[in-house]
Amino acid sequence: MTTPQQDIVAEVEARRQALNSNLLKIYHYYRTTMGLALLVVFAQDTIATPFGVLGAELFLLITVGYTILNLASVIATPLLPTHFLRRQLMTTLFVLIDIAVVTVLMYLSSGVASGLGAVILVSVAAGAILVTGRTSTAIAAVAAIAVLYEEFYLSLTPPTYQNDYFQAGVLGALYFATSISIQMLSARLRRSEISSMTNAAEAADLERVNRSIIARMRTGIIVVGSDETVRTINQSARSLLGFAADDRHPESLPEPLAERLRAWRNDTTVRTGPFQISATMPEIRANFSAVRGDRPSADIIVFLEDTTEVQQQAQQLKLAALGRLSATIAHEIRNPLSAARHAAQLLGESTRLDKGDARLISIIDAQVKRMNGVIENVLELSRRRPPTPVRLNLASWLGDFVTQLKQANMDDADIRVAVTPADTEIRVDPTQLAQAVTNLAVNGIRYSLERTGKPFVALEGGIDPTTDRPYLNVIDHGPGVAKDQLANLFEPFFTTERTGTGLGLYISRELCEANQARLTYTRHTDGGSCFRINFAHPDRITA
């Protein structure tokens, strides 16, 4: 298994080989052009040149052959072996052929004075670029030796020519300098590229980590542009704002959130309160932070927090206080109530009571029972254990729930169950959910019976497409809740019934919130009531 650094080095080498392949094609084009240029200069009569003065026919023959070879190399370059070492050997061979051919042409053109030494310099530079390691230095050495030997051999050729060892030595030194300089520059560029790619890889890894963290955060994250367009949004934010799961990238913010963003931009010290996108959505709080701290008018990061967990913590504190209060109630009220009821019972056994007194005693007994029921409900709230959530199939759980409900004197009730999709799952405490749904179902059956004469309730579940969360609707055919009573519907001790304690809906909502669910009310289309329980996502619920 390779390390990330080794992978980067391998990638750099692969890119270098691809670049060398392109440079080799360019070099072949240059060689072909050079061969044609030598032919043109040799053939023209306008300007006198020393080309071929020691052998015109041989100069022409070598130049034509060299040009044909270069044309063939241009055609054959794509067919060269892709193996690194083989390509290096072929490139070295091309460069050495160029040095040998140009050296011979230089000899036939009266030596270094012909100016063809500069052509060899190009070949040495190409070798330093295309060939790695000591081979490129060896190419420079071969070129320098070839030029010096050419000058020496020229001095032995009759008639005697003026040789120029100094210029040949300068050319040799220039070959070495060019080769070493290009090698050093190439090594430096290679190190720089490796460093750049390493930094880029680390930055890319860090970006992926950040994106993964943001995507998995329970806090909703949104990046909003200066024109209030959504640039980035994670899944939690989509769920809290009610964006559909298939809406990959919403273009704008919902109006309630957009209004709070505008207010914050006008005054960054403003702290907005909790709000809801709709009646069925969870209550959320938005906090804002400028990407550039000194420019709130530019890009903004929006942090969305579901207040359900905060409400749950507050609820636990409230229950703790209620527990202490209920202990006092049990001691200070329950015992006197028991004494009053016992006295009423004893008084009711008297044979001297008339019908009016007996009626008053029955009222006392009924009201004592009612007060005792209130105390029992309060004590039940204070003694309630923390929820133990488990994963449940909603349809299967509702089937068992209806069976148990009908066994408890509800045989004649018309209880309809529908869950779509059938594999909808929730994660709650089944005992506490059963208590909450029982309160809602029993109320629904009673109100349906009072209005229509038929005991009816419908239990409809599924997945809300806007939040991707499971829900359960408890629907009845009753008269519904009056508008002026909606504000107090879930308040403790609020009831429209003479015999009710006013704790049923309050307890149901408290049980739901303890399980990170939310109980809301909406009026049904046929005039009845619809109580909806919006459950937390089964995969994202906190322990």
Side-chain angles (χ1 to χ4, degrees), residues 224 227-230 233 241 243 247 249-255 258:
V224 185
D227 56 352
E228 295 187 5
T229 57
V230 177
I233 181 170
L241 295 179
F243 289 130
D247 190 351
H249 193 80
E251 295 182 356
S252 59
L253 297 176
E255 189 57 30

Side-chain angles (χ1 to χ4, degrees), residues 56-222:
E57 294 181 359
L58 183 58
F59 185 94
L60 179 61
L61 179 62
I62 293 175
T63 305
V64 171
Y66 177 65
T67 304
I68 294 174
L69 177 63
N70 292 338
L71 288 172
S73 64
V74 170
I75 298 173
T77 296
L79 305 178
L80 290 177
T82 58
H83 190 273
F84 177 71
L85 292 178
R86 293 180 180 177
R87 183 177 289 272
Q88 289 278 295
L89 291 175
M90 295 296 294
T91 303
T92 303
L93 179 61
F94 286 136
V95 174
L96 292 177
I97 290 175
D98 290 347
I99 293 173
V101 170
V102 176
T103 301
V104 174
L105 295 180
M106 185 189 302
Y107 166 76
L108 296 175
S109 303
S110 70
V112 295
S114 64
L116 291 176
V119 179
I120 297 179
L121 180 62
V122 175
S123 298
V124 171
I129 295 173
L130 299 175
V131 181
T132 59
R134 298 178 180 178
T135 306
S136 59
T137 306
I139 290 174
V142 170
I145 294 172
V147 172
L148 289 172
Y149 181 77
E150 177 272 330
E151 285 298 302
F152 171 73
Y153 191 75
L154 183 63
S155 66
L156 303 178
T157 303
T160 303
Y161 282 86
Q162 181 70 32
N163 52 47
D164 193 345
Y165 287 110
F166 177 77
Q167 187 175 353
V170 171
L171 281 175
L174 186 59
Y175 297 158
F176 274 104
T178 301
S179 178
I180 294 173
S181 298
I182 291 177
Q183 290 182 62
M184 293 176 62
L185 179 60
S186 178
R188 184 173 180 179
L189 291 175
R190 181 175 179 273
R191 289 193 299 270
S192 177
E193 187 174 11
I194 290 175
S195 177
S196 299
M197 291 186 64
T198 300
N199 294 335
E202 291 176 353
D205 290 341
L206 183 59
E207 182 180 2
R208 283 192 291 268
V209 170
N210 290 338
R211 288 183 177 274
S212 178
I213 291 173
I214 292 174
R216 294 175 180 272
M217 285 179 64
R218 294 183 65 250
T219 300
I221 304 293
I222 310 175

Side-chain angles (χ1 to χ4, degrees), residues 405-441:
L405 188 63
K406 287 193 172 185
Q407 290 174 352
N409 300 323
M410 291 285 180
D411 292 340
D412 58 341
D414 182 10
I415 305 176
R416 301 178 185 179
V417 177
V419 178
T420 304
D423 60 350
T424 300
E425 291 186 337
I426 57 176
R427 193 163 180 259
V428 295
D429 186 314
T431 302
Q432 295 183 356
L433 178 62
Q435 184 179 352
V437 179
T438 297
N439 289 339
L440 299 175

Side-chain angles (χ1 to χ4, degrees), residues 506-529:
Y506 172 74
I507 292 174
S508 295
R509 185 172 224 183
E510 296 298 307
L511 290 170
C512 290
E513 291 183 352
N515 287 269
Q516 299 182 32
R518 183 172 181 83
L519 176 61
T520 58
Y521 170 83
T522 55
R523 195 169 186 85
H524 200 252
T525 54
D526 64 355
S529 297

Side-chain angles (χ1 to χ4, degrees), residues 182-509:
I182 291 177
Q183 290 182 62
M184 293 176 62
L185 179 60
S186 178
R188 184 173 180 179
L189 291 175
R190 181 175 179 273
R191 289 193 299 270
S192 177
E193 187 174 11
I194 290 175
S195 177
S196 299
M197 291 186 64
T198 300
N199 294 335
E202 291 176 353
D205 290 341
L206 183 59
E207 182 180 2
R208 283 192 291 268
V209 170
N210 290 338
R211 288 183 177 274
S212 178
I213 291 173
I214 292 174
R216 294 175 180 272
M217 285 179 64
R218 294 183 65 250
T219 300
I221 304 293
I222 310 175
V223 178
V224 185
S226 57
D227 56 352
E228 295 187 5
T229 57
V230 177
R231 296 191 175 182
T232 301
I233 181 170
N234 67 352
Q235 180 58 42
S236 295
R238 262 200 297 266
S239 177
L240 291 173
L241 295 179
F243 289 130
D246 56 352
D247 190 351
R248 304 298 296 176
H249 193 80
E251 295 182 356
S252 59
L253 297 176
E255 189 57 30
L257 179 57
E259 291 178 357
R260 285 161 175 78
L261 175 58
R262 297 186 198 109
W264 181 85
R265 275 181 165 152
N266 293 331
D267 183 2
T268 57
T269 62
V270 171
R271 181 174 175 83
T272 60
F275 64 97
Q276 289 180 267
I277 299 301
S278 65
T280 60
M281 299 297 295
E283 191 176 72
I284 58 179
R285 181 186 295 275
N287 295 308
F288 308 95
S289 176
V291 174
R292 298 180 182 178
D294 57 341
R295 296 182 60 187
S297 61
D299 291 356
I300 301 296
I301 303 176
V302 183
F303 300 90
L304 300 178
E305 298 179 0
D306 189 345
T307 60
T308 303
E309 186 175 351
V310 177
Q311 292 175 352
Q312 184 181 6
Q313 294 174 353
Q315 178 66 15
Q316 292 174 352
L317 295 175
K318 183 168 60 177
L319 290 178
L322 186 59
R324 293 190 294 269
L325 176 63
S326 63
T328 303
I329 292 175
H331 178 72
E332 299 294 337
I333 300 179
R334 197 174 187 186
N335 290 338
L337 281 177
S338 298
R341 184 181 182 187
H342 182 65
Q345 288 176 344
L346 292 176
L347 186 61
E349 294 175 357
S350 174
T351 59
R352 300 177 183 179
L353 295 176
D354 56 22
K355 293 182 179 180
D357 292 336
R359 173 62 180 166
L360 292 175
I361 291 174
S362 66
I363 292 175
I364 293 173
D365 185 65
Q367 294 303 316
V368 167
K369 287 182 178 179
R370 180 183 176 188
M371 290 298 299
N372 191 62
V374 171
I375 294 173
E376 288 291 341
N377 285 330
V378 172
L379 289 174
E380 176 63 24
L381 280 174
S382 65
R383 291 194 295 260
R384 193 177 73 217
R385 59 179 175 79
T388 306
V390 295
R391 201 178 187 99
L392 302 172
N393 179 277
L394 182 58
S396 176
W397 182 86
L398 286 175
D400 297 337
F401 170 78
V402 170
T403 300
Q404 296 174 7
L405 188 63
K406 287 193 172 185
Q407 290 174 352
N409 300 323
M410 291 285 180
D411 292 340
D412 58 341
D414 182 10
I415 305 176
R416 301 178 185 179
V417 177
V419 178
T420 304
D423 60 350
T424 300
E425 291 186 337
I426 57 176
R427 193 163 180 259
V428 295
D429 186 314
T431 302
Q432 295 183 356
L433 178 62
Q435 184 179 352
V437 179
T438 297
N439 289 339
L440 299 175
V442 170
N443 285 346
I445 291 172
R446 184 173 72 253
Y447 287 120
S448 295
L449 182 62
E450 290 177 0
R451 182 189 180 196
T452 65
K454 297 180 181 180
F456 168 85
V457 70
L459 306 175
E460 300 177 353
I463 301 293
D464 190 333
T466 61
T467 63
D468 198 31
R469 296 183 179 186
Y471 69 89
L472 174 62
N473 290 336
V474 181
I475 303 171
D476 62 56
H477 290 164
V481 180
K483 291 183 178 180
D484 59 345
Q485 297 175 346
L486 291 177
N488 302 319
L489 184 60
F490 295 101
E491 293 295 326
F493 306 111
F494 174 79
T495 180
T496 58
E497 299 290 330
R498 290 184 177 182
T499 59
T501 64
L503 289 174
L505 290 178
Y506 172 74
I507 292 174
S508 295
R509 185 172 224 183

